[in-house]
Protein backbone atom coordinates (compact mmCIF):
# COMPACT_ATOMS: atom_id res chain seq x y z
CA UNK A 1 0.00 0.00 0.00
CA UNK A 2 2.79 2.43 0.95
CA UNK A 3 4.51 1.89 -2.39
CA UNK A 4 1.57 3.62 -4.07
CA UNK A 5 1.77 6.68 -1.83
CA UNK A 6 3.49 9.76 -3.19
CA UNK A 7 6.13 11.77 -1.38
CA UNK A 8 5.27 15.28 -0.23
CA UNK A 9 8.14 16.62 -2.37
CA UNK A 10 6.53 15.05 -5.46
CA UNK A 11 3.20 16.66 -4.57
CA UNK A 12 4.89 20.05 -4.15
CA UNK A 13 6.34 19.85 -7.67
CA UNK A 14 2.98 18.67 -9.08
CA UNK A 15 1.29 21.67 -7.47
CA UNK A 16 4.01 24.04 -8.64
CA UNK A 17 3.66 23.04 -12.29
CA UNK A 18 -0.14 23.41 -11.93
CA UNK A 19 -0.15 26.83 -10.24
CA UNK A 20 2.82 28.62 -11.76
CA UNK A 21 3.64 29.64 -15.30
CA UNK A 22 5.84 32.04 -17.25
CA UNK A 23 2.84 34.23 -18.06
CA UNK A 24 2.43 35.05 -14.36
CA UNK A 25 5.91 36.61 -14.26
CA UNK A 26 5.21 38.66 -17.39
CA UNK A 27 1.78 39.87 -16.24
CA UNK A 28 3.11 40.93 -12.85
CA UNK A 29 6.03 42.74 -14.47
CA UNK A 30 4.03 44.71 -17.03
CA UNK A 31 1.02 45.52 -14.81
CA UNK A 32 3.07 46.64 -11.79
CA UNK A 33 5.78 48.79 -13.36
CA UNK A 34 8.66 46.34 -13.66
CA UNK A 35 10.63 45.33 -10.56
CA UNK A 36 8.19 47.27 -8.35
CA UNK A 37 6.07 44.10 -8.50
CA UNK A 38 8.58 42.37 -6.17
CA UNK A 39 7.14 44.33 -3.23
CA UNK A 40 3.61 43.29 -4.26
CA UNK A 41 4.63 39.66 -4.76
CA UNK A 42 6.09 39.51 -1.24
CA UNK A 43 2.93 41.04 0.24
CA UNK A 44 0.74 38.69 -1.80
CA UNK A 45 2.65 35.60 -0.70
CA UNK A 46 2.86 36.56 2.97
CA UNK A 47 -0.69 37.83 3.45
CA UNK A 48 -2.63 35.73 0.93
CA UNK A 49 -0.94 32.79 -0.77
CA UNK A 50 0.69 31.12 2.28
CA UNK A 51 -2.51 31.15 4.40
CA UNK A 52 -4.52 30.14 1.30
CA UNK A 53 -2.25 27.15 0.66
CA UNK A 54 -2.31 26.08 4.33
CA UNK A 55 -6.11 26.38 4.47
CA UNK A 56 -6.28 24.08 1.44
CA UNK A 57 -4.04 21.71 3.40
CA UNK A 58 -6.50 21.65 6.30
CA UNK A 59 -9.49 21.14 3.98
CA UNK A 60 -7.68 18.37 2.16
CA UNK A 61 -6.80 16.74 5.48
CA UNK A 62 -10.41 16.98 6.73
CA UNK A 63 -11.88 15.43 3.59
CA UNK A 64 -9.28 12.88 2.52
CA UNK A 65 -11.81 10.65 0.78
CA UNK A 66 -13.61 13.45 -1.09
CA UNK A 67 -12.31 13.54 -4.64
CA UNK A 68 -14.52 16.39 -5.86
CA UNK A 69 -12.38 19.20 -4.49
CA UNK A 70 -14.11 22.46 -3.60
CA UNK A 71 -17.66 21.25 -4.43
CA UNK A 72 -17.33 18.27 -2.10
CA UNK A 73 -15.90 20.51 0.66
CA UNK A 74 -18.91 22.82 0.36
CA UNK A 75 -21.29 19.83 0.27
CA UNK A 76 -19.79 18.36 3.45
CA UNK A 77 -19.83 21.64 5.34
CA UNK A 78 -22.99 23.38 4.05
CA UNK A 79 -25.85 22.36 1.72
CA UNK A 80 -26.27 20.64 -1.68
CA UNK A 81 -27.58 23.92 -3.14
CA UNK A 82 -24.39 25.76 -2.20
CA UNK A 83 -22.34 22.82 -3.50
CA UNK A 84 -24.13 23.28 -6.83
CA UNK A 85 -23.21 26.98 -6.87
CA UNK A 86 -19.59 26.09 -6.10
CA UNK A 87 -19.54 23.64 -9.01
CA UNK A 88 -21.32 26.15 -11.23
CA UNK A 89 -18.80 28.89 -10.39
CA UNK A 90 -15.91 26.56 -11.23
CA UNK A 91 -17.51 25.75 -14.60
CA UNK A 92 -18.66 29.32 -15.37
CA UNK A 93 -15.16 30.74 -14.72
CA UNK A 94 -13.86 28.53 -17.51
CA UNK A 95 -16.10 30.25 -20.08
CA UNK A 96 -13.76 33.26 -20.24
CA UNK A 97 -10.74 30.96 -19.91
CA UNK A 98 -11.88 28.94 -22.95
CA UNK A 99 -12.24 32.13 -25.03
CA UNK A 100 -8.70 33.16 -24.04
CA UNK A 101 -7.24 29.73 -24.87
CA UNK A 102 -8.63 29.95 -28.42
CA UNK A 103 -7.08 33.40 -28.89
CA UNK A 104 -3.85 32.49 -27.12
CA UNK A 105 -3.37 29.36 -29.22
CA UNK A 106 -3.81 31.32 -32.43
CA UNK A 107 -1.34 33.97 -31.24
CA UNK A 108 1.25 31.30 -30.38
CA UNK A 109 0.89 29.67 -33.81
CA UNK A 110 1.36 33.09 -35.41
CA UNK A 111 4.64 33.59 -33.55
CA UNK A 112 5.84 30.08 -34.47
CA UNK A 113 5.21 30.80 -38.17
CA UNK A 114 6.04 34.51 -38.57
CA UNK A 115 8.47 34.90 -35.62
CA UNK A 116 7.15 38.39 -34.89
CA UNK A 117 4.12 39.96 -33.26
CA UNK A 118 3.50 42.61 -35.87
CA UNK A 119 2.07 40.29 -38.54
CA UNK A 120 -0.69 38.96 -36.26
CA UNK A 121 -1.62 42.46 -35.15
CA UNK A 122 -1.98 43.68 -38.76
CA UNK A 123 -4.81 41.23 -39.48
CA UNK A 124 -8.34 42.71 -39.19
CA UNK A 125 -9.80 41.95 -35.76
CA UNK A 126 -13.00 40.47 -37.19
CA UNK A 127 -10.98 38.04 -39.34
CA UNK A 128 -8.85 36.94 -36.35
CA UNK A 129 -11.95 36.50 -34.20
CA UNK A 130 -13.68 34.52 -36.96
CA UNK A 131 -10.77 32.07 -37.06
CA UNK A 132 -10.76 31.99 -33.24
CA UNK A 133 -14.47 31.13 -33.26
CA UNK A 134 -13.85 28.37 -35.82
CA UNK A 135 -11.14 26.90 -33.54
CA UNK A 136 -13.55 26.97 -30.59
CA UNK A 137 -16.30 25.20 -32.58
CA UNK A 138 -13.83 22.58 -33.85
CA UNK A 139 -12.59 21.80 -30.35
CA UNK A 140 -16.15 21.72 -29.00
CA UNK A 141 -16.89 19.09 -31.64
CA UNK A 142 -13.81 17.09 -30.60
CA UNK A 143 -14.96 17.24 -26.96
CA UNK A 144 -18.52 16.25 -27.96
CA UNK A 145 -17.24 13.07 -29.60
CA UNK A 146 -15.65 12.03 -26.34
CA UNK A 147 -12.24 12.39 -27.94
CA UNK A 148 -9.57 13.71 -25.66
CA UNK A 149 -6.40 12.79 -27.53
CA UNK A 150 -4.75 15.98 -26.31
CA UNK A 151 -4.75 15.17 -22.57
CA UNK A 152 -1.27 13.64 -22.70
CA UNK A 153 -0.14 16.49 -24.95
CA UNK A 154 -1.46 18.98 -22.38
CA UNK A 155 0.61 17.31 -19.66
CA UNK A 156 3.66 17.24 -21.92
CA UNK A 157 3.18 20.89 -22.96
CA UNK A 158 2.60 21.95 -19.36
CA UNK A 159 5.80 20.20 -18.26
CA UNK A 160 7.78 21.71 -21.12
CA UNK A 161 6.44 25.21 -20.37
CA UNK A 162 7.42 24.73 -16.75
CA UNK A 163 10.94 23.74 -17.85
CA UNK A 164 11.09 26.74 -20.22
CA UNK A 165 10.13 29.07 -17.33
CA UNK A 166 12.95 27.76 -15.14
CA UNK A 167 15.33 27.74 -18.10
CA UNK A 168 14.51 31.40 -18.79
CA UNK A 169 15.58 32.43 -15.28
CA UNK A 170 18.80 30.38 -15.34
CA UNK A 171 19.81 31.49 -18.84
CA UNK A 172 18.96 35.14 -18.20
CA UNK A 173 21.14 35.26 -15.08
CA UNK A 174 23.96 33.65 -17.07
CA UNK A 175 23.51 35.96 -20.08
CA UNK A 176 25.66 38.90 -18.87
CA UNK A 177 28.62 36.54 -18.42
CA UNK A 178 28.10 34.95 -21.86
CA UNK A 179 27.35 38.20 -23.68
CA UNK A 180 28.53 41.25 -21.67
CA UNK A 181 27.65 43.60 -24.55
CA UNK A 182 24.04 42.35 -24.79
CA UNK A 183 22.56 45.73 -23.94
CA UNK A 184 20.95 44.75 -20.64
CA UNK A 185 18.73 47.18 -18.72
CA UNK A 186 20.34 48.63 -15.59
CA UNK A 187 18.27 48.20 -12.43
CA UNK A 188 18.45 50.23 -9.23
CA UNK A 189 17.28 48.41 -6.12
CA UNK A 190 16.21 51.19 -3.78
CA UNK A 191 13.02 52.38 -2.09
CA UNK A 192 11.96 54.66 -4.97
CA UNK A 193 12.27 51.89 -7.59
CA UNK A 194 10.85 49.06 -5.46
CA UNK A 195 7.94 50.66 -3.55
CA UNK A 196 4.91 50.97 -5.86
CA UNK A 197 2.52 53.90 -6.09
CA UNK A 198 -0.68 52.85 -4.30
CA UNK A 199 -3.03 54.52 -6.74
CA UNK A 200 -6.19 53.44 -8.57
CA UNK A 201 -4.18 51.61 -11.24
CA UNK A 202 -2.42 49.57 -8.55
CA UNK A 203 -5.57 48.40 -6.75
CA UNK A 204 -7.50 47.67 -9.95
CA UNK A 205 -4.63 45.42 -11.07
CA UNK A 206 -4.40 43.31 -7.90
CA UNK A 207 -6.70 40.68 -9.45
CA UNK A 208 -3.79 39.85 -11.81
CA UNK A 209 -1.69 38.71 -8.82
CA UNK A 210 -4.59 36.89 -7.13
CA UNK A 211 -5.26 35.04 -10.38
CA UNK A 212 -1.55 34.18 -10.67
CA UNK A 213 -1.21 32.50 -7.27
CA UNK A 214 -4.56 30.70 -7.20
CA UNK A 215 -5.38 27.12 -8.05
CA UNK A 216 -3.50 25.02 -5.48
CA UNK A 217 -6.84 23.44 -4.44
CA UNK A 218 -6.66 21.43 -7.68
CA UNK A 219 -4.21 19.03 -6.06
CA UNK A 220 -6.27 18.59 -2.85
CA UNK A 221 -7.65 15.19 -4.03
CA UNK A 222 -4.10 13.85 -3.66
CA UNK A 223 -4.02 14.50 0.08
CA UNK A 224 -4.98 10.91 0.92
CA UNK A 225 -2.27 9.61 -1.41
CA UNK A 226 0.57 11.36 0.38
CA UNK A 227 2.70 9.60 2.96
CA UNK A 228 1.58 10.76 6.42
CA UNK A 229 -1.03 13.27 5.10
CA UNK A 230 -1.28 15.31 8.33
CA UNK A 231 2.39 16.29 7.99
CA UNK A 232 3.13 15.63 4.31
CA UNK A 233 0.36 17.75 2.76
CA UNK A 234 1.12 21.00 4.66
CA UNK A 235 4.83 20.46 3.99
CA UNK A 236 4.03 20.25 0.27
CA UNK A 237 1.93 23.45 0.44
CA UNK A 238 4.64 25.40 2.28
CA UNK A 239 7.28 24.17 -0.19
CA UNK A 240 4.98 25.18 -3.04
CA UNK A 241 4.67 28.70 -1.61
CA UNK A 242 8.46 29.03 -1.27
CA UNK A 243 9.10 27.76 -4.83
CA UNK A 244 6.49 30.10 -6.33
CA UNK A 245 7.85 33.09 -4.41
CA UNK A 246 11.46 32.39 -5.45
CA UNK A 247 10.47 31.95 -9.11
CA UNK A 248 8.32 35.10 -9.07
CA UNK A 249 11.11 37.26 -7.64
CA UNK A 250 13.97 35.76 -9.69
CA UNK A 251 11.80 35.78 -12.84
CA UNK A 252 10.98 39.45 -12.25
CA UNK A 253 14.67 40.36 -11.83
CA UNK A 254 15.52 38.39 -14.99
CA UNK A 255 12.81 40.27 -16.88
CA UNK A 256 14.04 43.56 -15.41
CA UNK A 257 17.42 42.92 -17.06
CA UNK A 258 15.63 42.66 -20.39
CA UNK A 259 12.75 45.17 -20.51
CA UNK A 260 12.49 48.83 -19.54
CA UNK A 261 9.18 49.63 -17.74
CA UNK A 262 9.08 53.04 -19.47
CA UNK A 263 8.96 51.33 -22.89
CA UNK A 264 6.28 48.92 -21.62
CA UNK A 265 4.03 51.73 -20.39
CA UNK A 266 4.36 53.52 -23.73
CA UNK A 267 3.17 50.45 -25.68
CA UNK A 268 1.34 48.39 -23.06
CA UNK A 269 -0.97 46.41 -25.37
CA UNK A 270 1.93 45.21 -27.51
CA UNK A 271 3.90 44.00 -24.47
CA UNK A 272 0.81 42.33 -22.99
CA UNK A 273 0.28 40.49 -26.27
CA UNK A 274 3.88 39.74 -27.24
CA UNK A 275 6.05 40.15 -24.14
CA UNK A 276 6.63 36.46 -23.41
CA UNK A 277 7.66 35.80 -27.04
CA UNK A 278 9.97 38.82 -27.13
CA UNK A 279 11.55 37.53 -23.91
CA UNK A 280 12.57 34.21 -25.49
CA UNK A 281 13.53 35.91 -28.76
CA UNK A 282 15.88 38.26 -26.88
CA UNK A 283 17.22 35.37 -24.80
CA UNK A 284 18.13 33.50 -27.99
CA UNK A 285 19.89 36.60 -29.31
CA UNK A 286 21.94 36.95 -26.11
CA UNK A 287 23.23 33.40 -26.56
CA UNK A 288 23.69 33.78 -30.34
CA UNK A 289 21.24 30.97 -31.17
CA UNK A 290 18.74 33.06 -33.16
CA UNK A 291 15.02 32.35 -32.83
CA UNK A 292 15.38 28.73 -31.74
CA UNK A 293 14.21 29.35 -28.14
CA UNK A 294 11.36 31.52 -29.41
CA UNK A 295 10.11 28.80 -31.80
CA UNK A 296 10.31 26.11 -29.10
CA UNK A 297 8.43 28.33 -26.65
CA UNK A 298 5.79 29.32 -29.25
CA UNK A 299 5.17 25.68 -30.27
CA UNK A 300 4.99 24.51 -26.63
CA UNK A 301 2.59 27.36 -25.89
CA UNK A 302 0.42 26.62 -28.93
CA UNK A 303 0.13 22.92 -28.04
CA UNK A 304 -0.47 23.80 -24.38
CA UNK A 305 -3.17 26.38 -25.13
CA UNK A 306 -5.08 24.24 -27.63
CA UNK A 307 -4.85 20.99 -25.66
CA UNK A 308 -5.96 22.80 -22.50
CA UNK A 309 -8.86 24.15 -24.56
CA UNK A 310 -10.32 20.66 -25.06
CA UNK A 311 -9.82 19.74 -21.40
CA UNK A 312 -11.37 23.04 -20.26
CA UNK A 313 -14.45 22.41 -22.41
CA UNK A 314 -14.90 18.87 -21.12
CA UNK A 315 -13.55 18.49 -17.56
CA UNK A 316 -15.28 21.38 -15.67
CA UNK A 317 -18.58 20.46 -17.36
CA UNK A 318 -18.27 16.84 -16.23
CA UNK A 319 -17.34 17.95 -12.70
CA UNK A 320 -20.58 19.91 -12.55
CA UNK A 321 -22.96 17.53 -14.33
CA UNK A 322 -21.54 14.24 -13.01
CA UNK A 323 -22.12 15.42 -9.45
CA UNK A 324 -25.25 13.64 -8.21
CA UNK A 325 -25.87 16.29 -5.55
CA UNK A 326 -25.81 19.08 -8.15
CA UNK A 327 -27.93 17.33 -10.78
CA UNK A 328 -31.20 18.08 -8.99
CA UNK A 329 -30.62 21.80 -9.63
CA UNK A 330 -29.87 21.40 -13.34
CA UNK A 331 -32.49 21.19 -16.15
CA UNK A 332 -32.71 17.76 -17.79
CA UNK A 333 -31.76 19.15 -21.21
CA UNK A 334 -28.23 19.90 -19.96
CA UNK A 335 -27.88 16.36 -18.61
CA UNK A 336 -28.44 14.81 -22.04
CA UNK A 337 -25.56 12.66 -23.29
CA UNK A 338 -24.84 11.64 -26.87
CA UNK A 339 -23.68 8.24 -28.08
CA UNK A 340 -20.08 9.15 -27.18
CA UNK A 341 -21.02 9.81 -23.54
CA UNK A 342 -20.48 13.57 -23.79
CA UNK A 343 -22.88 16.17 -22.38
CA UNK A 344 -23.75 17.47 -25.82
CA UNK A 345 -26.08 20.31 -24.78
CA UNK A 346 -23.65 21.43 -22.10
CA UNK A 347 -20.92 21.66 -24.73
CA UNK A 348 -23.27 23.64 -26.96
CA UNK A 349 -23.83 26.05 -24.07
CA UNK A 350 -20.06 26.43 -23.71
CA UNK A 351 -19.80 27.15 -27.45
CA UNK A 352 -22.55 29.80 -27.24
CA UNK A 353 -21.20 31.60 -24.15
CA UNK A 354 -17.49 31.52 -25.04
CA UNK A 355 -18.38 32.19 -28.68
CA UNK A 356 -20.36 35.26 -27.62
CA UNK A 357 -17.23 36.73 -25.96
CA UNK A 358 -15.20 36.02 -29.11
CA UNK A 359 -17.86 37.59 -31.39
CA UNK A 360 -18.26 40.68 -29.16
CA UNK A 361 -14.50 41.23 -29.30
CA UNK A 362 -14.53 41.27 -33.10
CA UNK A 363 -15.50 44.95 -32.78
CA UNK A 364 -12.31 45.74 -30.82
CA UNK A 365 -9.68 47.74 -32.76
CA UNK A 366 -6.65 45.43 -32.87
CA UNK A 367 -5.85 41.82 -31.97
CA UNK A 368 -3.43 42.96 -29.23
CA UNK A 369 -6.29 44.74 -27.44
CA UNK A 370 -8.33 41.51 -27.55
CA UNK A 371 -5.59 39.62 -25.69
CA UNK A 372 -5.25 42.42 -23.12
CA UNK A 373 -9.01 42.35 -22.50
CA UNK A 374 -8.99 38.56 -22.07
CA UNK A 375 -6.09 38.74 -19.58
CA UNK A 376 -8.02 41.22 -17.43
CA UNK A 377 -11.35 39.41 -17.86
CA UNK A 378 -9.77 36.14 -16.69
CA UNK A 379 -8.23 37.91 -13.70
CA UNK A 380 -11.73 39.10 -12.74
CA UNK A 381 -13.64 35.85 -13.33
CA UNK A 382 -11.23 33.01 -12.50
CA UNK A 383 -10.50 34.03 -8.87
CA UNK A 384 -14.26 33.98 -8.12
CA UNK A 385 -13.94 30.20 -7.67
CA UNK A 386 -11.39 30.74 -4.89
CA UNK A 387 -14.14 32.40 -2.84
CA UNK A 388 -15.65 28.94 -2.31
CA UNK A 389 -12.36 27.63 -0.90
CA UNK A 390 -12.45 30.25 1.84
CA UNK A 391 -16.19 29.80 2.38
CA UNK A 392 -15.59 26.06 2.83
CA UNK A 393 -12.74 26.73 5.26
CA UNK A 394 -14.86 29.08 7.40
CA UNK A 395 -17.69 26.51 7.40
CA UNK A 396 -15.23 23.75 8.34
CA UNK A 397 -13.89 25.69 11.33
CA UNK A 398 -17.39 26.59 12.49
CA UNK A 399 -18.29 22.88 12.42
CA UNK A 400 -15.14 21.89 14.34
CA UNK A 401 -17.08 19.49 16.58
CA UNK A 402 -18.22 17.53 13.54
CA UNK A 403 -14.87 17.46 11.70
CA UNK A 404 -11.49 16.90 13.23
CA UNK A 405 -8.76 17.07 10.55
CA UNK A 406 -5.35 15.62 11.41
CA UNK A 407 -3.71 18.84 10.24
CA UNK A 408 -4.85 22.30 11.27
CA UNK A 409 -3.56 25.53 9.70
CA UNK A 410 -3.79 27.20 13.11
CA UNK A 411 -5.24 25.79 16.32
CA UNK A 412 -6.80 29.03 17.52
CA UNK A 413 -10.37 29.24 16.26
CA UNK A 414 -10.58 33.05 16.14
CA UNK A 415 -7.32 33.42 14.19
CA UNK A 416 -8.47 30.71 11.75
CA UNK A 417 -11.76 32.51 11.06
CA UNK A 418 -9.96 35.86 10.69
CA UNK A 419 -7.61 34.39 8.08
CA UNK A 420 -10.52 32.73 6.22
CA UNK A 421 -12.49 35.99 6.19
CA UNK A 422 -9.42 38.03 5.22
CA UNK A 423 -8.62 35.86 2.19
CA UNK A 424 -12.29 35.88 1.16
CA UNK A 425 -12.41 39.69 1.33
CA UNK A 426 -9.09 40.14 -0.52
CA UNK A 427 -10.32 37.86 -3.33
CA UNK A 428 -13.74 39.52 -3.60
CA UNK A 429 -12.28 43.05 -3.45
CA UNK A 430 -9.62 42.24 -6.07
CA UNK A 431 -12.24 40.85 -8.46
CA UNK A 432 -14.58 43.83 -7.99
CA UNK A 433 -11.81 46.45 -8.30
CA UNK A 434 -10.32 44.52 -11.25
CA UNK A 435 -13.50 45.15 -13.21
CA UNK A 436 -12.62 48.82 -13.61
CA UNK A 437 -10.88 49.89 -16.78
CA UNK A 438 -10.40 53.28 -18.41
CA UNK A 439 -11.71 51.81 -21.66
CA UNK A 440 -15.56 51.72 -21.45
CA UNK A 441 -15.83 48.59 -23.63
CA UNK A 442 -13.38 46.61 -21.46
CA UNK A 443 -15.07 47.89 -18.29
CA UNK A 444 -18.48 46.78 -19.59
CA UNK A 445 -17.12 43.35 -20.59
CA UNK A 446 -15.59 42.87 -17.13
CA UNK A 447 -18.88 43.72 -15.40
CA UNK A 448 -21.44 42.12 -17.71
CA UNK A 449 -19.69 38.75 -18.19
CA UNK A 450 -19.69 37.65 -14.50
CA UNK A 451 -23.20 39.08 -14.03
CA UNK A 452 -24.57 37.07 -16.97
CA UNK A 453 -22.86 33.87 -15.79
CA UNK A 454 -24.12 34.39 -12.23
CA UNK A 455 -27.67 35.05 -13.46
CA UNK A 456 -27.55 31.87 -15.56
CA UNK A 457 -26.43 29.89 -12.52
CA UNK A 458 -29.40 31.23 -10.53
CA UNK A 459 -31.92 30.65 -13.35
CA UNK A 460 -31.05 26.97 -13.97
CA UNK A 461 -32.33 25.68 -10.59
CA UNK A 462 -35.57 27.63 -11.15
CA UNK A 463 -36.02 25.87 -14.52
CA UNK A 464 -35.19 22.51 -12.90
CA UNK A 465 -37.82 23.09 -10.17
CA UNK A 466 -40.46 23.98 -12.76
CA UNK A 467 -39.64 20.79 -14.64
CA UNK A 468 -40.15 18.72 -11.50
CA UNK A 469 -43.40 20.52 -10.67
CA UNK A 470 -44.67 19.88 -14.21
CA UNK A 471 -43.74 16.19 -13.96
CA UNK A 472 -45.69 15.90 -10.70
CA UNK A 473 -48.77 17.52 -12.24
CA UNK A 474 -48.66 15.29 -15.33
CA UNK A 475 -47.87 12.09 -13.38
Amino acid sequence: MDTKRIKWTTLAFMAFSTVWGFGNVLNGFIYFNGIQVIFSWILMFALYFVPYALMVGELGSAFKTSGGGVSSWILNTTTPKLAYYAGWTYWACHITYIASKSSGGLKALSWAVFRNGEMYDTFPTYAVQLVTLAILILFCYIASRGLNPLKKLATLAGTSMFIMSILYILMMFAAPAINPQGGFVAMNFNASTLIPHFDMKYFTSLSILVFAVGGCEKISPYVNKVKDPSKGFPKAMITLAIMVMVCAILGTIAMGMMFDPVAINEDFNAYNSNGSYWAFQKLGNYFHIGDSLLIIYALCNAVGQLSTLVISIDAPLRMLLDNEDAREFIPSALLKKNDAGAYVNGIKLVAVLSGAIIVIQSFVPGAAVVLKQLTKLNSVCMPLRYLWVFAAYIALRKARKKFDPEYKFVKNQTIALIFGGWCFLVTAASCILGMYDADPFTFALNVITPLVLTALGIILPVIANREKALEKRTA
Side-chain angles (χ1 to χ4, degrees):
M1 184 75 175
D2 286 341
T3 55
K4 291 185 179 178
R5 292 192 175 272
I6 59 177
K7 293 180 180 179
W8 65 266
T9 49
T10 305
L11 183 68
F13 279 104
M14 285 170 60
F16 182 51
S17 60
T18 301
V19 170
W20 198 245
F22 185 71
N24 295 330
V25 179
L26 175 75
N27 287 337
F29 190 84
I30 65 173
Y31 274 91
F32 290 86
N33 203 34
I35 60 172
Q36 281 186 2
V37 76
I38 292 173
F39 179 88
S40 302
W41 277 130
I42 292 170
L43 278 184
M44 185 59 67
F45 287 121
L47 300 178
Y48 183 82
F49 184 60
V50 171
Y52 168 27
L54 295 177
M55 280 184 244
V56 166
E58 185 172 340
L59 285 160
S61 179
F63 307 111
K64 293 193 195 98
T65 56
S66 299
V70 180
S71 294
S72 59
W73 297 342
I74 292 291
L75 179 66
N76 280 298
T77 55
T78 58
T79 64
K81 186 72 173 282
L82 287 177
Y84 154 75
Y85 283 124
W88 172 265
T89 305
Y90 184 81
W91 173 81
C93 288
H94 279 81
I95 295 299
T96 59
Y97 189 66
I98 287 165
S100 70
K101 287 297 160 190
S102 302
S103 295
L106 197 59
K107 178 70 175 179
L109 287 172
S110 166
W111 264 99
V113 174
F114 302 116
R115 296 191 223 172
N116 66 66
E118 291 74 22
M119 182 63 75
Y120 182 82
D121 294 338
T122 59
F123 296 136
T125 311
Y126 72 87
V128 172
Q129 294 305 95
L130 193 62
V131 176
T132 305
L133 182 63
I135 290 171
L136 172 65
I137 293 169
L138 172 64
F139 279 78
C140 281
Y141 173 76
I142 291 170
S144 73
R145 298 315 306 158
L147 302 171
N148 288 315
L150 301 177
K151 280 188 177 178
K152 288 183 179 177
L153 272 178
T155 305
L156 180 64
T159 305
S160 62
M161 288 290 283
F162 166 65
I163 292 168
M164 293 291 284
S165 299
I166 303 299
L167 192 65
Y168 172 80
I169 295 171
L170 295 175
M171 290 183 72
M172 197 56 215
F173 275 97
I178 303 294
N179 185 4
Q181 306 303 318
F184 305 101
V185 177
M187 290 181 289
N188 294 315
F189 292 95
N190 54 51
S192 62
T193 58
L194 289 175
I195 304 299
H197 300 290
F198 297 104
D199 52 13
M200 187 66 174
K201 181 179 179 292
Y202 180 87
F203 289 107
T204 57
S205 299
L206 277 177
S207 59
I208 295 287
L209 300 187
V210 172
F211 178 35
V213 299
C216 62
E217 69 278 357
K218 288 179 185 176
I219 48 91
S220 62
Y222 295 100
V223 68
N224 59 328
K225 296 179 183 178
V226 183
K227 289 181 180 178
D228 191 7
S230 62
K231 294 180 180 177
F233 197 81
K235 271 186 186 178
M237 293 294 100
I238 292 167
T239 306
L240 163 68
I242 293 168
M243 288 194 296
V244 170
M245 184 165 64
V246 169
C247 277
I249 292 170
L250 293 182
T252 299
I253 294 170
M255 202 157 276
M257 296 163 64
M258 185 178 276
F259 298 122
D260 184 351
V262 175
I264 291 173
N265 292 329
E266 287 175 355
D267 199 2
F268 186 88
N269 291 341
Y271 276 89
N272 184 81
S273 177
N274 303 300
S276 59
Y277 302 101
W278 282 335
F280 280 96
Q281 191 173 46
K282 279 194 169 193
L283 192 62
N285 292 335
Y286 293 148
F287 282 83
H288 307 293
I289 52 176
D291 288 340
S292 54
L293 288 175
L294 162 68
I295 294 168
I296 293 168
Y297 173 78
L299 290 173
C300 288
N301 200 13
V303 172
Q305 299 264 9
L306 296 176
S307 53
T308 304
L309 177 57
V310 161
I311 296 167
S312 298
I313 292 167
D314 182 64
L317 189 63
R318 288 185 182 276
M319 285 180 69
L320 174 66
L321 302 183
D322 281 347
N323 188 339
E324 289 298 328
D325 298 294
R327 290 168 77 94
E328 64 174 295
F329 304 106
I330 296 167
S332 57
L334 282 178
L335 300 174
K336 180 185 174 185
K337 287 186 178 181
N338 61 10
D339 56 349
Y343 289 104
V344 61
N345 288 335
I347 291 172
K348 286 177 182 175
L349 183 60
V350 171
V352 169
L353 293 172
S354 294
I357 294 172
I358 292 169
V359 170
I360 288 167
Q361 287 189 299
S362 64
F363 298 100
V364 172
V369 180
V370 169
L371 291 168
K372 179 199 168 188
Q373 286 181 345
L374 289 171
T375 299
K376 201 68 191 294
L377 184 59
N378 270 323
S379 78
V380 168
C381 292
M382 290 297 276
L384 291 172
R385 60 196 170 127
Y386 311 151
L387 292 172
W388 291 106
V389 175
F390 307 124
Y393 182 73
I394 292 167
L396 170 68
R397 293 302 298 233
K398 285 190 172 181
R400 61 189 185 280
K401 291 181 181 177
K402 183 179 177 183
F403 305 104
D404 187 30
E406 293 177 72
Y407 162 72
K408 288 184 175 68
F409 162 38
V410 287
K411 291 183 179 179
N412 186 283
Q413 178 74 354
T414 304
I415 293 173
L417 292 174
I418 288 170
F419 268 111
W422 163 255
C423 287
F424 187 96
L425 288 173
V426 168
T427 307
S430 296
C431 290
I432 293 167
L433 288 170
M435 290 178 180
Y436 174 77
D437 196 278
D439 173 50
F441 185 90
T442 305
F443 187 16
L445 191 66
N446 290 344
V447 173
I448 293 169
T449 304
L451 286 178
V452 168
L453 292 172
T454 301
L456 190 57
I458 294 169
I459 289 167
L460 290 185
V462 175
I463 297 171
N465 284 335
R466 286 184 179 177
E467 273 187 356
K468 286 174 188 172
L470 186 62
E471 285 174 8
K472 284 182 181 178
R473 286 200 298 267
T474 56

